[in-house]
Amino acid sequence: MTSDLFSDQPGEPIREIITEGAVVLRGFALANEQALLQAIDEVSQQAPFRHMRTPGGHAMSAAMSACGHVGWVTDQRGYRYQAEDPESGSPWPAMPGVFRRLAAEAAEDAGYPGFEPDACLINRYQRGAKMGLHQDRDERDFSQPIVSVSLGLPMVFQFGGRKRSDRPLKVPLTHGDVVVWGGPSRLNYHGVLTLKTGHHPLTGPYRYNLTFRRAL
Ligand code: MD3
Ligand code: FE
């Protein structure tokens, strides 16, 4: 990976460029870790974590919840964004303020001012959970970036190219790291390697990932 560190001023975030359009902001979410975890707790009380099924009928190994105007869902009928939680039939919980602000600040920092996400998918990984290489293309406007926040146990992110066959880079992500993906990297294949057993002081056996998107 081309690792461009330019934290030349004190208090500047450490940015690593993974590829054109994809920036890791190391530790960007640390200042808000407690508020973010508390908000995950509140959202998941209203929209409990569940293992959704792919259209092929396989249960996803990451448990998911969501908040915002729409949530990403998968079932026998396919992948889509919808306004109601299919488990309850109720609207998804509103996006907590700390989520919206963090996503907008990270996007701005990475060169995407004015990001207003309408969907936040919350993935919860436990030991053995992974996410195979895929593209995110259920959103309407690919000129909008995606912001991803990692909390809890560390994991290895796989970042591929525009074709599934492009050999992926491995990028370790730890608690508090935020990644912004946009522009030329928006449709790149990506995935998460199997989570190893561990214990994190704030999240116990879990890794959480918040994925902020402009879906509509
Ligand atoms: C790169 N989740 O939910 S987010 C997903 O860590 C998903 O839970 C992963 O991929 C996770 O769809 C990774 C990081 C991410 C999101 C979207 C991307 C990376 C991306 C879109 C294009 C390229
Ligand atoms: Fe994805």
Side-chain angles (χ1 to χ4, degrees):
M1 122 167 115
T2 38
S3 178
D4 272 334
L5 301 177
F6 42 102
S7 182
D8 35 18
Q9 275 150 36
E12 280 244 323
I14 295 180
R15 294 194 187 80
E16 294 175 21
I17 315 291
I18 300 178
T19 186
E20 218 190 328
V23 188
V24 186
L25 306 172
R26 293 286 178 197
F28 194 88
L30 285 177
N32 296 109
E33 59 182 9
Q34 301 281 3
L36 291 167
L37 291 167
Q38 163 125 26
I40 291 172
D41 234 60
E42 286 165 10
V43 167
S44 66
Q45 280 171 34
Q46 293 171 253
F49 284 104
R50 80 292 305 262
H51 294 273
M52 292 193 273
R53 285 189 181 275
T54 65
H58 300 282
M60 299 196 64
S61 62
M64 294 176 171
S65 179
C67 59
H69 295 303
V70 287
W72 184 84
V73 300
T74 175
D75 60 18
Q76 265 194 334
R77 292 156 50 206
Y79 307 121
R80 65 194 174 278
Y81 285 95
Q82 68 175 45
E84 302 82 28
D85 177 347
E87 290 296 316
S88 63
S90 304
W92 295 101
M95 200 181 297
V98 62
F99 279 23
R100 265 188 294 109
R101 285 189 294 276
L102 184 81
E105 282 170 22
E108 169 147 27
D109 212 86
Y112 300 96
F115 180 53
E116 291 186 32
D118 56 10
C120 175
L121 177 65
I122 309 175
N123 292 149
R124 188 187 70 188
Y125 297 80
Q126 73 289 341
R127 170 169 61 101
K130 60 181 169 23
M131 194 174 287
L133 280 180
H134 66 278
Q135 291 173 297
D136 286 19
R137 50 176 190 200
D138 300 319
E139 302 75 29
R140 286 190 189 147
D141 179 1
F142 298 141
S143 75
Q144 294 277 338
I146 290 182
V147 173
S148 140
V149 178
S150 292
L151 293 168
L153 290 176
M155 60 81 182
V156 179
F157 185 76
Q158 282 192 298
F159 187 71
R162 294 293 293 267
K163 291 180 301 184
R164 192 185 288 279
S165 57
D166 293 338
R167 170 111 97 94
L169 292 169
K170 289 185 170 73
V171 184
L173 293 178
T174 61
H175 178 72
D177 289 346
V178 176
V179 193
V180 182
W181 322 81
S185 71
R186 176 62 182 78
L187 288 171
N188 283 35
Y189 278 88
H190 57 277
V192 175
L193 295 185
T194 307
L195 192 84
K196 294 190 178 144
T197 308
H199 176 86
H200 188 277
L202 295 179
T203 68
Y206 298 122
R207 176 213 178 219
Y208 294 96
N209 182 264
L210 309 175
T211 310
F212 294 96
R213 305 187 174 103
R214 184 79 197 188
L216 306 182

